[in-house]
Every structure is written in C-alpha cells, then in structure tokens.
C-alpha cells in the first residue's frame, strides 16, 4: 500500500508527474501552495503528488513522534541519517513511482523533488534508479550517506538523471557546505548538477522557485 498523498493536477490527463517530499515534522500539505507560484502556462499538464511521511520517533527531538522520512540521530551531517530508515523511504518512493506509471506516466516523465530530509531521500532514491527519472530536485539538503557509500550504491544509468540543487547561504539546519559536498559527490559519479545558492536560511525563496521553473522547462522540452 502506498503512502497517503495530497495531489494537485494542473490540467486534464496529466502526462508528467512531480513527486515532492516534505521536510522533517511537516506533511504533504507543506509544499502544495508552491504549485501556483511554480507552474507556467506553457507547461504540459502535471500531476503533483505530495506524500505524507510515516510518523516515527525522532532521536534528536527527544524521541518525539512526528512525520519523518528517517530518524535523525545526530546533528553532525556525517552521522545524521538513519540509513535503514532512508532505505525504507526510498522503497516508499519507488512504490509511488510505480503507481504513477500504472496511471500512465512512465518514470521518464516523472520528477522527484524534496526539501531538507525529503531532499536527502530524493538523492538516495536517485542513486539506485536503474531506469532514470526525468530529473531530481534537492533543496536545502545533503547526501544521507558518505561519498564512498554513494559510489557503492549508485547503479548504472542513474547518473543520466539531471539534478537541480539549491541551498540557503545562511542555513543553520543543513549548512551550505553539506549541500556543496553532496553536489561534488554526485558530479564525481557523473551526474549533471545545477547548483544554486540564495541569501536565505533553511527556506525556499521566490528567486529559487523561478530558477527551478527554468530548469523544469528544460526537462519538459527534453522529454
């Protein structure tokens, strides 16, 4: 059974899907308001799918139960992610990708996006996609495993997926160097990464949405 989701279609019979993963403690409603700000008139009909992460205890928050894609055990990025939880969430993403294909949208016309914790899962899922998605969007995030683990996980075909990464220069939650390290690791594996920074904290800004829209326009043209 797939995760519960919030969905928004921009037109009849969508030919493309955008799967968007929220951050820690949020839910699928968190990024739904971005749709009217992001979508452009000339784009094909899209289905936006915003899943709710499972509720689980989070160590860094005193074991409090909240929506989370994986447990966060430590503030240090190198040891922050519970990799078993990451793998379980990657499997949930795979189920959503399969559901979209069953609804008539093949992986080649699906974009996978995520913010913060959701972005970490997006990158982890991208590494193991033997059948590439149309692209990966990772905002204010980091690679949840080390570069050597990422190299071991990366399957042939995965680096064909273009990646858009964006980060706040003053991010106190995921320092910019964490995002930069992820972009460098992905490039070393052969991924084409567009990297952008903005004068903000752990957030999303209008300029970022505009730049993401430009990048998505190019993906639709290529597809």
């Amino acid at each position: 059974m797939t995760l519960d989701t919030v969905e928004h279609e921009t037109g009849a019979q969508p030919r493309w899907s955008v799967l968007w993963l929220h951050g820690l403690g949020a839910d699928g409603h968190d990024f739904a308001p971005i749709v009217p700000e992001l979508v452009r008139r000339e784009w094909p009909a899209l289905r936006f799918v915003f899943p709710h992460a499972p509720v689980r205890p989070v160590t860094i928050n005193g074991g409090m139960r909240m929506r989370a894609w994986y447990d966060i055990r430590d503030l240090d990025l190198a040891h922050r992610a519970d990799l078993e939880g990451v793998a379980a969430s990657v499997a949930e993403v795979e189920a959503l990708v399969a559901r979209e294909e069953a609804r008539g949208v093949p992986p080649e016309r699906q974009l996978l996006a995520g913010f913060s914790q959701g972005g970490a899962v997006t990158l982890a899922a991208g590494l193991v996609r033997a059948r590439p998605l149309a692209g990966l969007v990772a905002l204010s995030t980091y690679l949840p495993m080390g570069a050597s683990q990422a190299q071991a996980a990366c399957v042939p075909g995965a680096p064909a997926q273009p990646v858009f990464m964006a980060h706040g220069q003053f991010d106190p939650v995921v320092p910019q160097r964490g995002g930069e390290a992820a972009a460098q690791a992905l490039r070393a594996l052969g991924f084409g990464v567009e990297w952008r920074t903005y004068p903000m904290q752990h957030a999303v800004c209008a300029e970022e949405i505009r730049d993401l829209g430009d990048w998505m326009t190019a993906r639709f043209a290529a597809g």
Side-chain angles (χ1 to χ4, degrees):
M1 199 166 97
T2 55
L3 295 172
D4 289 337
T5 59
V6 175
E7 298 193 5
H8 180 89
E9 295 184 358
T10 65
Q13 299 178 315
R15 296 186 60 251
W16 291 75
S17 295
V18 181
L19 310 179
W20 199 304
L21 311 182
H22 62 76
L24 176 68
D27 63 19
H29 295 283
D30 196 36
F31 276 92
I34 207 171
V35 173
E37 298 178 47
L38 177 64
V39 172
R40 301 183 182 182
R41 190 174 301 161
E42 69 271 19
W43 284 1
L46 309 176
R47 178 186 297 115
F48 282 85
V49 178
F50 301 99
H52 301 300
V55 174
R56 69 181 82 219
V58 176
T59 301
I60 201 99
N61 289 341
M64 188 182 300
R65 294 179 61 81
M66 61 186 65
R67 293 200 180 275
W69 297 107
Y70 51 87
D71 187 19
I72 295 181
R73 297 170 172 168
D74 196 309
L75 279 176
D76 178 13
L77 287 183
H79 307 104
R80 184 176 291 196
D82 148 37
L83 293 181
E84 291 176 1
V86 171
S89 285
V90 167
E92 298 278 18
V93 168
E94 287 295 321
L96 291 170
V97 170
R99 188 181 71 166
E100 287 310 294
E101 183 164 28
R103 293 204 280 185
V105 182
E108 295 80 10
R109 290 206 302 272
Q110 296 183 42
L111 294 168
L112 177 60
F115 175 80
S116 193
Q117 214 193 30
V121 171
T122 292
L123 294 180
L127 288 171
V128 297
R129 281 296 307 178
R131 186 177 172 192
L133 300 172
L136 308 171
V137 178
L139 310 178
S140 303
T141 195
Y142 61 102
L143 202 56
M145 72 284 283
S148 59
Q149 290 170 295
Q151 184 175 13
C154 187
V155 300
Q161 299 166 112
V163 183
F164 180 91
M165 293 190 71
H167 218 100
Q169 294 160 1
F170 314 117
D171 191 331
V173 178
V174 181
Q176 182 179 324
R177 67 178 183 276
E180 289 171 342
Q184 290 168 1
L186 291 170
R187 285 175 176 145
L189 293 172
F191 286 84
V193 180
E194 183 165 328
W195 167 258
R196 300 292 184 106
T197 63
Y198 306 91
M200 63 180 184
Q201 295 192 354
H202 196 61
V204 173
C205 66
E207 186 183 359
E208 179 182 16
I209 293 170
R210 186 199 67 205
D211 292 341
L212 174 58
D214 291 344
W215 182 88
M216 289 174 65
T217 296
R219 304 286 73 75
F220 300 141

